[in-house]
Amino acid sequence: MSTSLWLAIFASALGTLLMRVVPFLWMQRRLNSETGLNNMPQWLGILGPLMIAAVLGVSIMPVNPSAISWLATAIGLFVTLLVWWRVRSLGWPVAAGVAVYGVVQVIAYI
Amino acid sequence: MSQLASHSPVRHALKGVREAIPLLGGYIPVSLSFGLVATQAGFSTWEAAAISLLIYAGASQFLFVGMVAAGSPLWLVVAMTLLINVRHVVYGPNLAALLPRSRHWPWLMHGLTDQVFALALTRLPQLPTPERFGWFLGASLLAWGVWIVGTVVGATAGETLTQRWPLLGEIMPFALPALFLTMIAPRYTDKRWAVALSCTILSALLLTLYGWSNVAIPLAAGCGALCFYTVKLQTRRRSS
């Protein structure tokens, strides 16, 4: 790999790291400082959960979209929600959702 | 003694590792695919691993190797990679109030991906403050480590693996939507949040369906924010 390609990798890596670190440190220094903010801005608190919802929307798309994979997705999400409703934790609903999604896919594959 | 053990940073890190395991359902198949795609694009195994080690941002890595393989100018490759990753700018400030101050954050924030952010934003408020640093360390290092190992495996044996277990790569990624659904489900008790979140999910899904997955996250979150404030305004007008 050429030196210029390595430079492109390092530039992309450094830029990405700075986008993750600088806003975090800036906000942490501003919070509870004498001249800064006492609380996080409201819009930022709203944007956080919406970003999670957006990541959910992107990840709903099946790897190989087809009628079966969309059906498996709908059933899998329903079961995930159902198990979450009962146990109110993160682990079991995910395991149940993946298992049901997998069963539907395997049945369709057979 | 038992009190000392309960405050051990290692124990907190292990808790983070345990709770980040569902993320691996998405990380493993995608990192395997990246390793495979990178080698097909002409990168060696170790070059692919270096990209995963240093850039560590899924979608932009695929774009990076794709553009390099297509012979795009390197300044454009870097610019597009950074443009896709610009959404990360809002992640850090959201976690700033939840994490204690530490001199290790400049390198630890390297692990702040979409998925780690989503998990951290949900779990950190539920944890006692002394546990949070260790928890983030464990969760982010597990995800990063698996991403790098997955890339190496994908680059060396990706083709064999996908041929032997063709359904594995389709089933495992479902762990991600399942996990994110359990994270946002508690907010559906509030009408305004329910409208904004549904609007965001639908927008992101539609943008992805039409091939705009690279910009789907910030655009969909913007649509959701618009919904959130519109519902608020309508409620105020009705009450006045």
Side-chain angles (χ1 to χ4, degrees):
Chain A
M1 200 159 64
S2 66
T3 311
S4 53
L5 196 51
W6 276 112
L7 280 173
I9 291 175
F10 281 117
S12 303
L14 185 66
T16 305
L17 177 64
L18 288 176
M19 281 190 274
R20 287 166 172 165
V21 176
V22 173
F24 171 81
L25 293 178
W26 179 81
M27 182 58 83
Q28 218 174 36
R29 283 191 188 144
R30 293 268 295 171
L31 285 170
N32 300 320
S33 66
E34 281 180 21
T35 53
L37 307 161
N38 290 323
N39 289 307
M40 202 171 64
Q42 196 203 16
W43 64 269
L44 206 56
I46 291 164
L47 208 56
L50 292 176
M51 292 295 261
I52 300 177
V55 181
L56 166 64
V58 171
S59 61
I60 283 177
M61 178 92 167
V63 178
N64 292 315
S66 67
I68 294 296
S69 60
W70 280 113
L71 179 72
T73 302
I75 297 172
L77 288 177
F78 177 73
V79 169
T80 304
L81 209 55
L82 210 67
V83 178
W84 173 82
W85 192 260
R86 284 191 67 87
V87 298
R88 304 275 170 157
S89 69
L90 294 179
W92 285 112
V94 175
V98 173
V100 171
Y101 179 88
V103 167
V104 176
Q105 289 274 25
V106 169
I107 290 170
Y109 188 74
I110 293 167
Chain B
M1 187 72 186
S2 63
Q3 197 180 4
L4 192 71
S6 70
H7 288 291
S8 151
V10 177
R11 179 174 273 207
H12 304 154
L14 287 175
K15 191 175 186 178
V17 166
R18 201 173 58 243
E19 293 186 0
I21 286 171
L23 294 181
L24 306 187
Y27 272 55
I28 293 169
V30 180
S31 59
L32 286 173
S33 306
F34 174 72
L36 184 62
V37 168
T39 48
Q40 284 170 348
F43 289 84
S44 72
T45 301
W46 303 115
E47 287 163 356
I51 293 171
S52 281
L53 178 85
L54 297 169
I55 299 179
Y56 186 38
S60 68
Q61 288 184 211
F62 281 94
L63 182 88
F64 187 96
V65 296
M67 285 182 79
V68 169
S72 307
L74 288 178
W75 66 266
L76 189 63
V77 176
V78 175
M80 289 306 292
T81 305
L82 295 179
L83 193 66
I84 288 180
N85 292 339
V86 86
R87 67 184 184 280
H88 291 114
V89 166
V90 298
Y91 293 167
N94 263 287
L95 298 182
L98 299 172
L99 289 165
R101 291 185 181 218
S102 165
R103 63 193 166 89
H104 297 294
W105 289 128
W107 68 270
L108 268 179
M109 277 294 129
H110 181 55
L112 191 63
T113 59
D114 299 322
Q115 293 78 11
V116 170
F117 163 72
L119 187 66
L121 191 67
T122 310
R123 282 295 290 138
L124 286 175
Q126 299 161 1
L127 297 173
T129 310
E131 287 187 18
R132 293 177 182 176
F133 179 84
W135 183 94
F136 187 88
L137 181 78
S140 58
L141 285 185
L142 174 78
W144 190 29
V146 167
W147 183 256
I148 297 162
V149 172
T151 302
V152 173
V153 174
T156 50
E159 218 160 326
T160 317
L161 286 171
T162 48
Q163 276 171 2
R164 188 169 289 180
W165 294 293
L167 276 181
L168 204 66
E170 286 189 39
I171 294 168
M172 283 176 69
F174 186 75
L176 288 184
L179 181 68
F180 298 135
L181 182 65
T182 57
M183 286 176 180
I184 61 157
R187 290 198 183 260
Y188 269 82
T189 48
D190 181 273
K191 187 185 165 189
R192 191 150 61 116
W193 270 113
V195 172
L197 291 169
S198 303
C199 173
T200 308
I201 295 165
L202 280 175
S203 312
L205 182 58
L206 281 173
L207 286 163
T208 309
L209 276 170
Y210 284 100
W212 289 76
S213 56
N214 288 335
V215 289
I217 295 174
L219 280 184
C223 286
L226 208 64
C227 278
F228 189 88
Y229 285 109
T230 309
V231 173
K232 187 182 177 183
L233 281 175
Q234 283 178 350
T235 314
R236 272 187 190 166
R237 270 182 205 154
R238 267 182 215 157
S239 59
S240 63

